[in-house]
Amino acid sequence: MLINRRNLLAAAVALTALSSAAHADDTIKMGGLATLEGAFTVLGEDGLRGMKLALQEVNYTVAGKKIEVQTGSSDASPESAVKAARKLVEQGGVQVLIGPLSGSEGIAVKDYAKTQPNVTFINGSSAAQDTTLFNPAPNFFRFSTDGVQWMAGLGDYVYNEKHYKKVAVVAEDYSFPYSQVEGFMLPFCKAGGHVPAKFWVPIGNKDFSSVISALPDDVDAIYVALGGADAINFLTQYQQSGGTAPLIGGSITVDQTVLGSKGAIRKAVIGTAAAGPTADAWDDPKWQAFTAEYKKAFPDGFPAPSLFAHAYYINTKAAILALQKVNGDLSDGGAKFREALANLTFDTPTGPVKLDHNRNAIADIFVTEVVEGPNGALMNKVIKIAKDVNQTLGEPEADFLKIGPATRDNPDCK
Amino acid sequence: MTLLDSKSLATALSGPTRRLPFDAGYLLLAIALLLYPMVASPFFTFQIGGYTLILGTIALSLMVLAGYGGMVSLSQMTVAGIAGYSIAIFGTNASGVMGLGWPWWVAVPFAILIGATASALIGMLAVRTAGIYMIMITLAIGTAFFYFVRQNYAFFNGFNGFHGVNAPTVFGIYWRDPVPFYYLSLAIATFFFVAVSYMARSTFGLSLQAIRDNPRRMRAIGFDVAAHRVFAFFLSGVIAATAGVLLVWFNGQITAGTVDVNAAIDVLVVAVVGGLRKPIGPYLGALLFALLQNFAIDLIDPERFNTVIGGVFLLIIFFSPDGLLGLWERIRTTTMSKSLRPALRRKPSK
């Protein structure tokens, strides 16, 4: 019995010794963190497809060094994202971490990044504005834009072109939709529009009847920032209750599931304006080539890369380009690599991208509208492209910071 | 189960020789646990070691109720969460909601008291039911608390909860650094482990086990069955609430997701997979749970790792309904009987 225990102890010691495995000099350890559990599983899988795509382009090699990828999974909660990041960094020894996927996760991982100054954190697709605008971490980079930027041009467009003056808001209740609503409202309110009522619903809400019955009658349109099943549920129930107001979408509202739907919703979503960092049906050759490459690599993926695949692709691509610039040399704790990242400018399938002083991307944003395509299928047609959108939407930074972090009640223009 | 009970009963009844379970095995285990941070990396010390001790302590609170009281409660995570939220609300947080700024030496005992009181209240609602009905009612309470904190912004800050809830710095040591945090968790886990082992042999513990085995007879001989059960809920609440305070320091934050239905069920899984008969069981279950949660993703295609976790738990329960504890004891009896066999064979010839 004693021997048994001693064996057990020896095994435990051996197990812990594994943890301090030495770095090999000819490999670069990269971590990919995405939601592979919970409500956003499908989106997380597509995010990792984008990361793989960027790595496949260089055959997982930079300057003769092999890139070794480890995967971490979260369930969209900040705790799980930090736990997975900690495992990849402290146990797996990754030098570059790509991720996470969702808004509140990004804020938590950024806070964790501050405790690991020698590891470089590059965002996945998380798009809460706070992550880089308030208390940024010097080693956290975001080459994908944030949820406020994703709305650039939409508020002006619906006010001036569509002549919506009063808009009600229905959105999910967490940090990413807060950013989206802020990005929509700031230009919209500035142009003279009003938002008389905002409704915040929990993620995974099934019954929208109380929201629908409380919607004011005299609004010109409804701004809907819901994702996945929530968007479908709301749109269906709104149609069934006889609602006729036109819709305005957030960046993940009008996706392929909504466009592919049949019946009454189909008619109702035609004419829905939205904005985001990608546009499925954009006819630009670079975007078309990117879509073709994605489809070829992942026949079982989506019909077109989602904005999650796009964001992970861009961020991984940035890591690869900066690694090439420093010849894959991370021996100084990544200091040179981070400097290369900060000064990096490159062309993506959706146009040029560069970073601001908070290490947040400045890039192009697409305003789209749902139209019936030539073969009868619905598609997001590109209406206009907002060029070089920065994190403050072109406002002077001091003025913009005065608005404060986006919350349920901020901004406000009743 | 009966074998163990009669043994503990005998030990307890023999009066002066009543002793705590300190044999050589526990001494070795204690030394190994004390030396662990010297050999382990900070990751293993904090995220595996610290987390195992916290999760094990929450599951220990369930073990007290289920193992000694025969009451399966799914609201242990809720009690831990109530204490965790209390720390964020009465102490300090970085979310800009509540955060009354009480010093830790006021906030911590107060949070534990709130958690334990909440547990006793849950007990008052639940103890008049048994079996599946008690599971249902405690699950309902846990679910209701989850939805309440997720939608209440005035006190609980809704979906986002509280972040920046830091462990205190006492004696110049920041107690969330891996090694201090590990020893803090170890001290608390050890304290409750010994306390529960002692309680099991105390008059109260024995009455509780007797109530588990035959409540009607205990009522007939004059015991207040409901009061005993509610007090058991209170004691288990103290354990869960203390672990809840550690959990919020471990994560540095608490959100509605900390107390959701999955978390509530995880506690039950940990306790059942570890074994409900002895206080060491929940800690074994928690260790397995922490290791699987962190490393299952390295064993298989990242999109399928939850299948591995589920599969391992299923296998353990399939081969040993008593969980890891039962598996361990079965191995021990086989090796023991093997070494005893020659002696037994020699005996008749002697």
Side-chain angles (χ1 to χ4, degrees):
Chain A
M1 203 176 89
L2 262 175
I3 292 166
N4 273 345
R5 288 231 168 87
R6 216 169 285 152
N7 282 345
L8 207 72
L9 197 71
V13 172
L15 200 72
T16 51
L18 282 177
S19 60
S20 45
H23 277 212
D25 265 351
D26 51 351
T27 58
I28 292 165
K29 289 191 172 182
M30 192 181 270
L33 170 58
T35 51
L36 300 176
E37 303 159 68
F40 296 154
T41 306
V42 180
L43 314 180
E45 284 170 7
D46 206 46
L48 287 186
R49 282 189 202 113
M51 182 175 171
K52 270 185 207 153
L53 202 59
L55 288 165
Q56 277 171 10
E57 284 177 359
V58 293
N59 202 16
Y60 290 83
T61 326
V62 166
K65 294 186 180 183
K66 195 99 190 114
I67 299 180
E68 194 186 292
V69 177
Q70 297 174 37
T71 311
S73 166
S74 66
D75 61 7
S77 73
E79 289 99 334
S80 69
V82 171
K83 257 190 205 168
R86 202 185 282 140
K87 192 226 155 189
L88 289 170
V89 170
E90 295 176 28
Q91 176 60 25
V94 304
Q95 298 147 301
V96 183
L97 181 77
I98 314 278
L101 178 123
S102 159
S104 298
E105 292 182 307
I107 299 174
V109 168
K110 177 253 302 191
D111 283 334
Y112 171 68
K114 291 179 184 167
T115 67
Q116 298 291 338
N118 287 331
V119 178
T120 308
F121 292 76
I122 306 178
N123 186 46
S125 60
S126 86
Q129 183 191 49
D130 289 25
T131 310
T132 50
L133 191 61
F134 300 100
N135 304 315
N139 52 342
F140 189 98
F141 298 78
R142 176 154 67 189
F143 287 89
S144 52
T145 34
D146 75 27
V148 176
Q149 293 172 281
W150 288 357
M151 288 287 102
L154 183 64
D156 280 330
Y157 175 69
V158 299
Y159 187 86
N160 293 323
E161 315 278 325
K162 292 264 197 187
H163 307 294
Y164 301 154
K165 311 289 175 208
K166 262 177 139 178
V167 170
V169 167
V170 180
E172 280 153 347
D173 198 354
Y174 69 103
S175 54
F176 168 62
Y178 298 164
S179 293
Q180 292 252 284
V181 171
E182 179 181 5
F184 168 73
M185 280 179 67
L186 288 179
F188 180 71
C189 297
K190 205 176 165 195
H194 291 282
V195 175
K198 285 188 237 171
F199 300 91
W200 300 103
V201 296
I203 301 173
N205 195 30
K206 303 270 185 311
D207 181 8
F208 289 90
S209 51
S210 60
V211 172
I212 289 167
S213 60
L215 280 169
D217 290 333
D218 59 344
V219 291
D220 301 318
I222 303 170
Y223 173 81
V224 184
L226 304 169
D230 290 354
I232 293 277
N233 282 337
F234 173 78
L235 295 177
T236 314
Q237 290 173 31
Y238 183 64
Q239 294 313 311
Q240 281 167 354
S241 66
T244 53
L247 303 168
I248 305 167
S251 299
I252 61 171
T253 310
V254 192
D255 65 0
Q256 292 294 335
T257 38
V258 172
L259 292 178
S261 58
K262 308 263 186 294
I265 308 184
R266 209 185 118 82
K267 260 213 174 97
V269 295
I270 292 178
T272 300
T278 63
D280 300 350
W282 194 29
D283 50 11
D284 184 87
K286 268 196 217 141
W287 172 257
Q288 290 296 337
F290 177 62
T291 308
E293 193 192 355
Y294 169 90
K295 276 196 209 160
K296 189 169 157 242
F298 308 105
D300 56 345
F302 291 142
S306 68
L307 71 85
F308 302 96
H310 171 258
Y312 273 81
Y313 173 84
I314 304 261
N315 283 307
T316 312
K317 183 95 185 166
I320 292 168
L321 291 173
L323 278 171
Q324 282 169 344
K325 279 205 176 134
V326 297
N327 263 324
D329 180 16
L330 294 171
S331 54
D332 56 349
K336 266 190 297 174
F337 170 58
R338 281 191 290 278
E339 207 188 312
L341 271 177
N343 297 320
L344 189 67
T345 308
F346 67 108
D347 262 331
T348 73
T350 49
V353 61
K354 60 174 187 274
L355 294 186
D356 65 14
H357 64 99
N358 283 333
R359 293 161 302 284
N360 189 77
I362 300 172
D364 296 351
I365 299 296
F366 301 86
V367 177
T368 60
E369 192 166 317
V370 179
V371 295
E372 206 163 2
N375 51 1
L378 296 185
M379 54 183 261
N380 277 316
K381 189 181 157 214
V382 177
I383 298 293
K384 64 173 181 181
I385 300 168
K387 288 277 177 202
D388 296 331
V389 177
N390 70 4
Q391 202 172 16
T392 60
L393 300 179
E395 306 273 337
E397 186 168 336
D399 293 357
F400 194 82
L401 287 176
K402 266 186 217 141
I403 301 167
T407 63
R408 292 156 62 91
D409 308 315
N410 185 34
D412 189 47
C413 63
K414 286 209 169 101
Chain B
M1 192 152 266
T2 46
L3 188 107
L4 178 90
D5 296 337
S6 57
K7 212 165 76 186
S8 56
L9 200 71
T11 334
L13 290 180
S14 55
T17 56
R18 180 192 289 188
R19 64 190 183 92
L20 292 171
F22 281 129
D23 58 28
Y26 281 105
L27 200 66
L28 272 178
L29 181 66
I31 292 170
L33 285 173
L34 281 172
L35 295 180
Y36 175 71
M38 325 258 165
V39 289
S41 65
F43 169 81
F44 263 87
T45 306
F46 186 69
Q47 192 151 320
I48 303 292
Y51 188 64
T52 297
L53 291 165
I54 296 170
L55 190 64
T57 306
I58 298 177
L60 177 72
S61 78
L62 174 60
M63 182 267 153
V64 169
L65 289 177
Y68 298 137
M71 302 178 285
V72 177
S73 160
L74 280 176
S75 58
Q76 296 314 104
M77 200 64 199
T78 308
V79 172
I82 288 172
Y85 267 112
S86 306
I87 284 289
I89 289 171
F90 296 110
T92 48
N93 68 66
S95 289
V97 177
M98 301 304 286
L100 303 181
W102 295 7
W104 68 270
W105 44 271
V106 183
V108 170
F110 193 67
I112 295 171
L113 187 69
I114 289 181
T117 312
S119 180
L121 289 173
I122 294 170
M124 281 180 194
L125 276 175
V127 294
R128 277 156 222 285
T129 59
I132 189 113
Y133 300 102
M134 178 172 280
I135 296 179
M136 294 286 289
I137 202 163
T138 49
L139 178 64
I141 292 167
T143 314
F145 182 71
F146 163 64
Y147 279 108
F148 178 66
V149 295
R150 196 175 68 167
Q151 288 176 13
N152 180 295
Y153 277 84
F155 293 106
F156 296 102
N157 203 25
F159 180 86
N160 300 310
F162 299 103
H163 66 94
V165 186
N166 293 326
T169 304
V170 186
F171 310 125
I173 300 168
Y174 179 47
W175 287 92
R176 197 180 178 248
D177 284 337
V179 174
F181 188 84
Y182 172 80
Y183 282 120
L184 178 67
S185 309
L186 183 62
I188 285 169
T190 311
F191 172 76
F192 283 124
F193 178 78
V194 173
V196 167
S197 307
Y198 177 79
M199 189 214 78
R201 292 138 198 259
S202 69
T203 321
F204 169 75
L206 290 171
S207 320
L208 189 66
Q209 290 168 64
I211 288 169
R212 172 196 65 199
D213 294 338
N214 197 333
R216 290 172 75 185
R217 183 175 292 174
M218 288 301 279
R219 199 173 289 129
I221 58 176
F223 280 84
D224 189 337
V225 169
H228 272 78
R229 286 176 167 170
V230 171
F231 190 60
F233 261 95
F234 178 80
L235 289 182
S236 93
V238 172
I239 301 172
T242 311
V245 172
L246 287 178
L247 186 67
V248 73
W249 286 344
F250 172 83
N251 284 323
Q253 59 181 341
I254 183 158
T255 65
T258 314
V259 294
D260 68 3
V261 177
N262 284 338
I265 290 173
D266 282 349
V267 174
L268 183 66
V269 169
V270 164
V272 169
V273 165
L276 280 169
R277 289 191 299 130
K278 280 190 185 175
I280 194 79
Y283 290 101
L284 294 176
L287 178 63
L288 180 74
F289 190 85
L291 287 174
L292 276 177
Q293 217 183 27
N294 279 285
F295 294 106
I297 198 164
D298 297 336
L299 300 176
I300 195 177
D301 178 15
E303 283 153 31
R304 307 264 180 275
F305 74 99
N306 273 322
T307 318
V308 176
I309 299 182
V312 170
F313 290 155
L314 213 60
L315 278 178
I316 289 171
I317 297 302
F318 184 75
F319 285 110
S320 166
D322 292 345
L324 288 172
L325 202 60
L327 215 57
W328 166 248
E329 269 164 12
R330 204 163 306 165
I331 294 167
R332 207 162 72 165
T333 31
T334 8
T335 45
M336 254 210 228
S337 56
K338 254 185 210 151
S339 56
L340 281 176
R341 213 167 283 145
L344 287 171
R345 227 178 281 139
R346 245 177 283 130
K347 222 174 190 178
S349 66
K350 204 173 176 183

